[in-house]
Amino acid sequence: MAAFDPADELGQDLGFRLLMNTSVTLFWRRAILDETTAWLTTHGYQVTHLDASHWATERDLHRDIAAALNFPDYYGHNLDALNDCMRDVVSQDYGWAPDTTGLAVVFSGYDSFVACCPRAAQIVLDIMADQSRSAALFGHRLICLVQSNDPRIRFEPVGATSVDWNDAEWFDSKRRTD
């Protein structure tokens, strides 16, 4: 599925509304999450559910996400490896069927994981946001839905990007004035 068509009635497109301001969206009420995932499924999205409520360690996260997204056997079971494998998911090498409208990764009970592994929980959402932006560059839609049983849960911003030098001046030596 290519980018959204501005000629469509985008106010009625839940996928568009979910991605409009952020690729990581919080949910408290399960009924609203269920309605959202049902709409996404009906509209051709692949919805991959992960129950984070039983994750007591980062190892639990890696075990379940590797299984759900069909990561290769060499997956390193750490956050850097998660980022690398999500890059492959975005390329639709595995974990994401190419003929779908997009991929929605759904974490339920995420507040339990946050309580046990707050740093890793934040980084996972940051990885999802970064990879969603990468997916958009190729006309792919990656959405992350996060359900929490804590209605007051908060996260730091995700998906922040640095301001980088252009390719021709990337190295410091290319910007010397002496």
Side-chain angles (χ1 to χ4, degrees), residues 4-100:
F4 294 96
D5 185 347
D8 290 345
E9 179 54 52
L10 295 175
Q12 302 302 315
D13 189 320
L14 186 54
F16 178 80
R17 292 190 344 250
L18 287 167
L19 287 167
M20 187 170 55
N21 295 317
T22 182
S23 57
V24 179
T25 303
L26 289 171
F27 290 80
W28 174 52
R29 292 185 179 95
R30 291 225 184 212
I32 295 173
L33 176 64
D34 292 345
E35 289 172 15
T36 300
T37 57
W39 188 97
L40 292 169
T41 300
T42 299
H43 288 84
Y45 286 80
Q46 175 182 320
V47 178
T48 300
H49 293 270
L50 292 151
D51 182 359
S53 66
H54 302 291
W55 296 347
T57 66
E58 193 178 318
R59 181 177 304 185
D60 297 330
L61 154 81
H62 293 294
R63 177 197 63 229
D64 289 355
I65 202 165
L69 293 174
N70 199 30
F71 286 180
D73 291 339
Y74 59 81
Y75 175 56
H77 296 269
N78 61 60
L79 294 171
D80 288 334
L82 174 61
N83 191 45
D84 290 344
C85 282
M86 284 306 299
R87 190 173 300 120
D88 294 340
V89 169
V90 163
S91 298
Q92 299 177 326
D93 294 341
Y94 45 80
W96 183 351
D99 59 342
T100 60

Side-chain angles (χ1 to χ4, degrees), residues 125-143:
L125 299 184
D126 198 51
I127 289 169
M128 292 297 167
D130 285 344
Q131 293 305 328
S132 178
R133 184 177 45 253
S134 294
L137 292 172
F138 300 101
H140 302 156
R141 301 175 189 175
L142 173 61
I143 299 170

